[in-house]
Amino acid sequence: MASSEKNLSSFSGSNVGDVSKKKFGIVVSEWNEEVTEALFQGAYGVLVKHGVNRDNIIRKNVPGSFELSLASQWLAQQEDIDAVISLGCVIQGETKHFDFICQAVANGITEVGLKYNKPVIFGVLTTNNKKQALERAGGKHGNKGDEAAITAIKMLGF
Ligand code: DLZ
């Protein structure tokens, strides 16, 4: 689906069921806030467009992407929450932080979904620079936040 040449937000309409009674948690990393805020707006907009009640969208912020896994777990363990969307942006730098954070959050989010048997969606941009991130947060490559939300919706319709 996603490639450097494609608009990442293109998706097929299969498995899109009625989510109007569903409750979603969205965890947003504050690191690279300009990007993650755009991801949040995209995800929120898709959920509302698909009939999710605004009161049933619970947003929690965390300092950085490394904290997404634990906060996703705190939301996923709440019985009334049906799916969690984790949004972050990790930009390649001079340090090894990039690899450690990307690997940790990918593993962590996977574990939370398996532990609580709910969709926990990896909406984390991992890019070489901020320009690439912005292109994927409402720019020419679509919005990874939209994609994360539609993925959550589709998993609930599995
Ligand atoms: C430390 C750090 C660095 C260098 N880069 C990013 C980044 O690009 N994106 C991101 O979301 N977070 C970054 N962080 C912060 C870590 O995710 C985490 O918040 C701290 O290491 C504290 O645990």
Side-chain angles (χ1 to χ4, degrees):
M1 171 162 63
S3 82
S4 61
E5 299 307 318
K6 267 190 170 179
N7 180 325
L8 305 183
S9 299
S10 49
F11 48 80
S12 89
S14 64
N15 292 343
V16 177
D18 178 12
V19 286
S20 58
K21 301 281 186 298
K22 301 290 187 188
K23 189 167 181 178
F24 293 80
I26 305 183
V27 190
V28 185
S29 164
E30 290 172 343
W31 198 283
N32 299 313
E33 194 173 19
E34 183 185 355
V35 176
T36 59
E37 196 57 37
L39 296 177
F40 171 77
Q41 293 302 331
Y44 187 87
V46 166
L47 295 180
V48 170
K49 192 175 135 198
H50 282 81
V52 180
N53 190 317
R54 290 172 196 270
D55 292 338
N56 286 333
I57 304 173
I58 311 302
R59 174 182 177 159
K60 294 286 181 186
N61 281 12
V62 291
S65 291
F66 191 79
E67 285 70 44
L68 286 171
S69 304
L70 183 57
S72 296
Q73 175 157 293
W74 289 338
L75 291 178
Q77 71 189 7
Q78 296 181 25
E79 280 184 19
D80 59 337
I81 289 189
D82 298 289
V84 178
I85 299 167
S86 303
L87 301 175
C89 171
V90 193
I91 295 178
Q92 177 78 284
E94 297 294 310
T95 71
K96 282 251 178 206
H97 263 101
F98 181 83
D99 301 312
F100 290 133
I101 294 170
C102 295
Q103 198 62 56
V105 70
N107 291 343
I109 285 172
T110 304
E111 279 180 29
V112 174
L114 295 174
K115 181 174 176 185
Y116 289 96
N117 207 26
K118 302 180 176 179
V120 178
I121 308 303
F122 183 79
V124 181
L125 288 171
T126 58
T127 60
N128 292 326
N129 53 54
K130 190 171 176 184
K131 178 173 175 283
Q132 288 180 347
L134 289 169
E135 286 172 355
R136 290 157 178 78
K140 69 177 180 182
H141 292 307
N143 191 324
K144 180 81 175 172
D146 294 22
E147 198 187 330
I150 200 70
T151 303
I153 290 170
K154 291 178 79 163
M155 286 302 287
L156 290 173
F158 181 77

